Amino acid sequence: MAPHMTSSLRFSTLGTLKLPTQFTFLMCGMISIILGILYAPLPFSFRLEKRLGRVFQLLPRRIAPFLMVFIVLIWAGAGRQIDVIGMLAQSLRLATPIGLGALAGILCERSGVINVAIEGMMLTAACTGFVAALYTQNIWLGLIIAVLSGGLTAALHAVLSIRFLVNQIISGMILNILAIGITGFIRKAFIVDSPLPAPPVFPAWQIPVLSDLPLIGQVFFRNQPMVYALLILVPTLHVLIFYTRWGLRTRAVGEHPQAADTLGVSVFKIRYINVIVGGFLAGLGGAWFSLETVGNFDDMMTEGKGFIALAAMIFGKWNPGGAFGGALLFGFADALQIKLQISGVQVPYQFLSMIPYLVTMIVLAGLIGRATPPAAEGVPFVKH
């Protein structure tokens, strides 16, 4: 890297920020070292921790993701120009199925049911939703079918894991494999040779006035319907889980189902409702692939996003807001690899395509710290 090389970050109509690449890397490295020293369990760190309390504990973890994103932007913009606002908007768009899948996982696991079948629910919803839209030429009807198929797949998972006490992980993996087979058959039977034209994708909606705001207008208020659905569902689900009676019962069932049952809470009912509603959300995430992005369906087009959604859920520690942050991080990694491929970076595209999955492993292995799931997660409930 040449010493005089600069990184150009363009912020829409506000202008372009040009930074010396090497010097910026050096400063970011020094900040990282300082954060590492503060986070290390050294004697003086403990003294600082006593003075600053929880703020001190959380500071490095809160800054680290933003610092990592900034460093990546500087690297990506070395010798070229990066449209930061455009990348953020694309990150939010690509984070949508991951965020919806993470919310589905939170609903299930907060009630004590492990759901690794989110990938299969998304794939099934993407397929059935597209077939319905193809044969009716109505994408809204396709969306409804996609959501219902996600709920139906989740209901099967609920019956297997709650009624028949099948190991929840095995049940989920079986549904994932089943989804691959069923969608492959449906594609060959109803899509490949269909003479009907492909349905259109959902258009982007611009929110009046808000879409004209600088910076945030382009990112948050010029999106397609499912992106807005995610932005609404995150705070809604947070309120439902932490500030309503239903949320209290859900958390009680997920932490100590026997105690909840003693107090008159129907553990089976709560778990069935949460798993099926989670399936609806996963179905919505699946519809994003076929009805909002490409207007088509292909085998295994979800590309493991359901599993990344589980990583986002753990990243957020089973909290909707945290899971949304994790989804944005993974969405940014996906947007970055697309940007780097378009920019012609001298790295094989196979390696660039690995970026979202590498970020998943890095986040799960070292960034989130200790994550404690609900105490009764994966534990079948038997009423005595």
Side-chain angles (χ1 to χ4, degrees), residues 110 239-255 260 265 270:
R110 277 286 181 181
V239 172
L240 287 175
I241 290 177
F242 295 105
Y243 298 100
T244 65
R245 178 180 297 179
W246 171 78
L248 178 61
R249 291 181 175 180
T250 294
R251 287 182 286 136
V253 167
E255 295 292 339
V265 177
I270 292 290

Side-chain angles (χ1 to χ4, degrees), residues 86-380:
M87 274 199 68
L88 292 178
Q90 190 174 21
S91 301
L92 176 61
R93 189 180 69 82
L94 295 173
T96 300
I98 300 173
L100 291 170
L103 295 182
I106 289 172
L107 277 177
C108 295
E109 301 201 3
R110 277 286 181 181
S111 66
V113 179
I114 297 175
N115 188 357
V116 297
I118 293 173
E119 174 76 7
M121 294 174 190
M122 284 185 170
L123 188 61
T124 304
C127 179
T128 56
F130 177 75
V131 170
L134 176 66
Y135 281 89
T136 64
Q137 293 295 304
N138 187 326
I139 53 176
W140 286 103
L141 186 59
L143 176 62
I144 293 172
I145 296 298
V147 172
L148 291 178
S149 68
L152 183 63
T153 311
L156 180 57
H157 178 56
V159 170
L160 290 174
S161 57
I162 299 174
R163 173 67 179 84
F164 295 105
L165 306 180
V166 176
N167 182 289
Q168 296 169 10
I169 295 177
I170 293 177
S171 169
M173 293 309 298
I174 289 173
L175 289 176
N176 286 332
I177 296 170
L178 182 65
I180 294 173
I182 288 179
T183 56
F185 168 76
I186 293 176
R187 178 174 176 271
K188 289 182 180 177
F190 299 102
I191 298 176
V192 173
D193 297 325
S194 173
L196 298 172
V201 297
F202 284 104
W205 295 344
Q206 295 192 16
I207 307 298
V209 181
L210 295 177
S211 62
D212 296 327
L213 293 174
L215 299 181
I216 62 172
Q218 183 179 343
V219 177
F220 292 104
F221 302 112
R222 300 180 188 179
N223 291 300
Q224 292 165 292
M226 273 167 260
V227 179
Y228 292 122
L230 174 66
L231 295 176
I232 294 172
L233 282 169
V234 169
T236 303
L237 207 59
H238 180 85
V239 172
L240 287 175
I241 290 177
F242 295 105
Y243 298 100
T244 65
R245 178 180 297 179
W246 171 78
L248 178 61
R249 291 181 175 180
T250 294
R251 287 182 286 136
V253 167
E255 295 292 339
H256 204 306
Q258 282 76 20
D261 181 65
T262 303
L263 294 174
V265 177
S266 175
V267 176
F268 294 125
K269 181 180 176 181
I270 292 290
R271 286 188 170 180
Y272 271 113
I273 291 175
N274 277 273
V275 173
I276 293 174
V277 173
F280 290 148
L281 296 183
L284 187 62
W288 178 89
F289 292 94
S290 57
L291 300 179
E292 192 165 280
T293 303
V294 297
N296 202 346
F297 176 79
D298 203 357
D299 291 334
M300 301 184 68
M301 69 183 306
T302 49
E303 297 180 327
K305 294 295 191 300
F307 297 115
I308 296 180
L310 292 175
M313 177 192 68
I314 298 172
F315 177 88
K317 300 186 177 179
W318 293 267
N319 185 306
F324 178 62
L328 285 178
L329 180 62
F330 297 127
F332 174 79
D334 208 1
L336 176 67
Q337 64 94 6
I338 294 173
K339 182 66 178 179
L340 292 178
Q341 288 190 42
I342 295 174
S343 301
V345 174
Q346 299 300 316
V347 177
Y349 74 91
Q350 294 92 342
F351 290 100
L352 294 176
S353 300
M354 293 179 188
I355 290 178
Y357 308 101
L358 291 175
V359 170
T360 303
M361 288 190 289
I362 292 171
V363 166
L364 289 179
L367 193 59
I368 61 173
R370 183 179 180 183
T372 305
E377 183 188 48
V379 180

